Amino acid sequence: MRTLGLIGGMSWESTVPYYRLINQTVKEQLGGLHSARLLLYSVDFAEIERLQMSGDWDTAGQVLADAARALRAGGAELLVICTNTMHKVADAVQAASGLPLLHIADATASEIRARGLHRIGLLGTRFTMEEDFYRLRLENHGLEVLVPEADDRGIVHRVIYDELCLGQIREESRDQYRRIIAGLVARGAQGVILGCTEIGLLVGADDARVPLFDTAALHARHAALAALA
């Protein structure tokens, strides 16, 4: 089993499931008392969020690159960034560490293609929905990506930062997400990517009539299997 290096804390609310799901997958594969070999470097999300909002992605990338180098020094052999948005700086993080990085969009796209789907809705932060670093990665897997209209993108983004990252689960926000997901389905989405690792805290399979792809769960399982490969 190789040692996973997790860069988490963005937010810690969604990093907790990574630890649980990775260990559950290892136990499922190996049985008995087996658990994952992993290291976790949890950053201060307030610092990262400030850099995101100011558009200082170079400095944000340096923070995560420093974390990656520390993980390698601690013995990590594979890297996992436990968030979707910060994959905007994934290349810089991988280059700084010299370690293989397991990209969250690759893990997600593989599952979608395995289900035989090709037109997919995407929810996430404004950065994930509106910029090309994530959508292009999905498109390179042969997927057609749909995002909500501008006003709905604003709602999705606000709920992530103002509620979910603070551990707040509100029924009215769940209703809004259900409406937005239904809108994507009406436009032809065969499934919807929960493209922020917090969204799975709010909505699940019962909230849509198409498959929902929880990126945190898919990424965590992919990471565990990669460590065991």
Side-chain angles (χ1 to χ4, degrees):
M1 189 192 316
R2 288 183 286 180
T3 300
L4 292 168
L6 309 186
I7 304 176
M10 299 168 284
S11 67
W12 70 262
E13 296 281 353
S14 63
T15 301
V16 170
Y18 269 86
Y19 183 79
R20 174 173 49 82
L21 291 166
I22 289 170
N23 278 291
Q24 284 177 344
T25 302
V26 169
K27 181 178 180 181
E28 167 195 305
Q29 294 294 309
L30 300 182
L33 296 176
H34 285 288
S35 56
R37 291 177 181 155
L38 61 79
L39 303 169
L40 170 62
Y41 190 115
S42 189
V43 302
D44 180 359
F45 189 41
E47 177 185 7
I48 298 297
E49 188 269 347
R50 176 178 56 80
L51 294 170
Q52 290 176 341
M53 297 307 168
S54 67
D56 190 356
W57 294 99
D58 287 343
T59 301
Q62 290 170 16
V63 173
L64 266 61
D66 288 343
R69 282 189 285 262
L71 289 168
R72 177 169 182 164
E77 298 166 276
L78 295 170
L79 282 182
V80 178
I81 301 175
C82 303
T83 173
N84 286 272
T85 297
M86 291 309 293
H87 278 74
K88 182 177 172 72
V89 299
D91 289 346
V93 173
Q94 183 168 14
S97 69
L99 293 176
L101 185 145
L102 305 174
H103 200 290
I104 194 168
D106 294 340
T108 303
S110 294
E111 179 65 18
I112 294 167
R113 292 303 302 269
R115 299 280 291 272
L117 309 181
H118 61 87
R119 184 179 296 115
I120 199 79
L122 173 63
L123 303 181
T125 66
R126 280 192 181 276
F127 314 111
T128 299
M129 292 186 289
E130 297 178 358
E131 299 185 28
D132 62 8
F133 71 93
Y134 197 91
R135 288 185 293 107
L136 283 180
R137 190 92 179 197
L138 295 171
E139 290 170 1
N140 287 339
H141 286 272
L143 299 177
E144 178 186 348
V145 181
L146 305 176
V147 297
E149 301 298 334
D151 288 347
D152 285 341
R153 293 198 300 271
I155 292 170
V156 172
H157 181 91
R158 179 193 60 76
V159 169
I160 290 168
Y161 280 93
D162 295 351
E163 298 175 21
L164 301 181
C165 286
L166 299 174
Q168 299 175 11
I169 307 299
R170 297 179 180 173
E171 193 60 35
E172 57 269 30
S173 297
R174 181 177 286 114
D175 289 340
Q176 289 275 45
Y177 268 55
R178 287 170 175 158
R179 177 186 61 78
I180 293 168
I181 290 169
L184 290 169
V185 174
R187 290 167 53 197
Q190 300 165 309
V192 176
I193 296 171
L194 307 184
C196 177
T197 49
E198 280 80 19
I199 297 178
L201 303 173
L202 181 65
V203 293
D206 293 339
D207 296 300
R209 59 185 181 86
V210 297
L212 299 182
F213 295 90
D214 185 341
T215 53
L218 294 172
H219 198 203
R221 181 171 177 81
H222 179 77
L225 294 177
L228 294 172

